[in-house]
Short mmCIF file of all heavy atoms in Angstrom, two decimals:
data_model
loop_
_atom_site.label_atom_id
_atom_site.label_comp_id
_atom_site.label_asym_id
_atom_site.label_seq_id
_atom_site.Cartn_x
_atom_site.Cartn_y
_atom_site.Cartn_z
N ARG Z 12 80.80 107.32 77.62
CA ARG Z 12 80.98 106.94 76.22
C ARG Z 12 79.95 107.65 75.36
O ARG Z 12 78.81 107.83 75.77
CB ARG Z 12 80.82 105.43 76.04
CG ARG Z 12 81.88 104.61 76.73
CD ARG Z 12 81.66 103.13 76.46
NE ARG Z 12 81.69 102.83 75.04
CZ ARG Z 12 81.41 101.62 74.52
NH1 ARG Z 12 81.06 100.64 75.34
NH2 ARG Z 12 81.45 101.43 73.22
N ARG Z 13 80.35 108.05 74.17
CA ARG Z 13 79.43 108.66 73.23
C ARG Z 13 78.69 107.58 72.46
O ARG Z 13 79.24 106.52 72.19
CB ARG Z 13 80.17 109.57 72.24
CG ARG Z 13 80.85 110.76 72.89
CD ARG Z 13 81.49 111.65 71.85
NE ARG Z 13 80.50 112.19 70.92
CZ ARG Z 13 80.81 112.93 69.87
NH1 ARG Z 13 82.07 113.20 69.59
NH2 ARG Z 13 79.86 113.40 69.07
N SER Z 14 77.45 107.87 72.14
CA SER Z 14 76.66 106.94 71.32
C SER Z 14 76.79 107.34 69.87
O SER Z 14 76.66 108.51 69.52
CB SER Z 14 75.19 106.99 71.74
OG SER Z 14 74.41 106.18 70.92
N ALA Z 15 77.09 106.37 69.00
CA ALA Z 15 77.27 106.68 67.58
C ALA Z 15 77.00 105.42 66.76
O ALA Z 15 77.14 104.30 67.25
CB ALA Z 15 78.68 107.18 67.31
N TRP Z 16 76.60 105.65 65.53
CA TRP Z 16 76.44 104.53 64.59
C TRP Z 16 77.82 104.05 64.18
O TRP Z 16 78.70 104.84 63.87
CB TRP Z 16 75.68 104.98 63.36
CG TRP Z 16 74.23 105.20 63.58
CD1 TRP Z 16 73.64 106.37 63.98
CD2 TRP Z 16 73.18 104.26 63.45
NE1 TRP Z 16 72.29 106.21 64.09
CE2 TRP Z 16 71.98 104.93 63.77
CE3 TRP Z 16 73.13 102.91 63.08
CZ2 TRP Z 16 70.75 104.29 63.73
CZ3 TRP Z 16 71.91 102.28 63.05
CH2 TRP Z 16 70.74 102.96 63.38
N GLY Z 17 78.02 102.76 64.12
CA GLY Z 17 79.28 102.22 63.68
C GLY Z 17 79.30 102.00 62.18
O GLY Z 17 78.27 101.85 61.54
N THR Z 18 80.47 102.00 61.60
CA THR Z 18 80.62 101.70 60.18
C THR Z 18 81.69 100.64 60.01
O THR Z 18 82.60 100.49 60.83
CB THR Z 18 81.02 102.96 59.39
OG1 THR Z 18 82.23 103.48 59.94
CG2 THR Z 18 79.94 104.02 59.48
N SER Z 19 81.59 99.91 58.94
CA SER Z 19 82.54 98.84 58.67
C SER Z 19 83.87 99.41 58.20
O SER Z 19 83.92 100.43 57.51
CB SER Z 19 81.97 97.91 57.60
OG SER Z 19 82.94 96.99 57.18
N ALA Z 20 84.94 98.75 58.59
CA ALA Z 20 86.26 99.19 58.14
C ALA Z 20 86.53 98.79 56.70
O ALA Z 20 87.42 99.32 56.05
CB ALA Z 20 87.34 98.59 59.05
N ALA Z 21 85.73 97.84 56.19
CA ALA Z 21 85.93 97.37 54.82
C ALA Z 21 85.31 98.35 53.83
O ALA Z 21 84.19 98.81 54.02
CB ALA Z 21 85.30 95.99 54.66
N THR Z 22 86.06 98.69 52.79
CA THR Z 22 85.57 99.60 51.77
C THR Z 22 85.01 98.78 50.61
O THR Z 22 85.73 97.99 50.01
CB THR Z 22 86.69 100.51 51.25
OG1 THR Z 22 87.22 101.24 52.36
CG2 THR Z 22 86.17 101.46 50.20
N PRO Z 23 83.72 98.96 50.27
CA PRO Z 23 83.15 98.18 49.17
C PRO Z 23 83.77 98.58 47.84
O PRO Z 23 84.20 99.72 47.64
CB PRO Z 23 81.66 98.53 49.23
CG PRO Z 23 81.58 99.81 49.96
CD PRO Z 23 82.74 99.84 50.90
#
Side-chain angles (χ1 to χ4, degrees):
R12 295 181 59 186
R13 296 183 62 184
S14 176
W16 287 89
T18 57
S19 171
T22 302

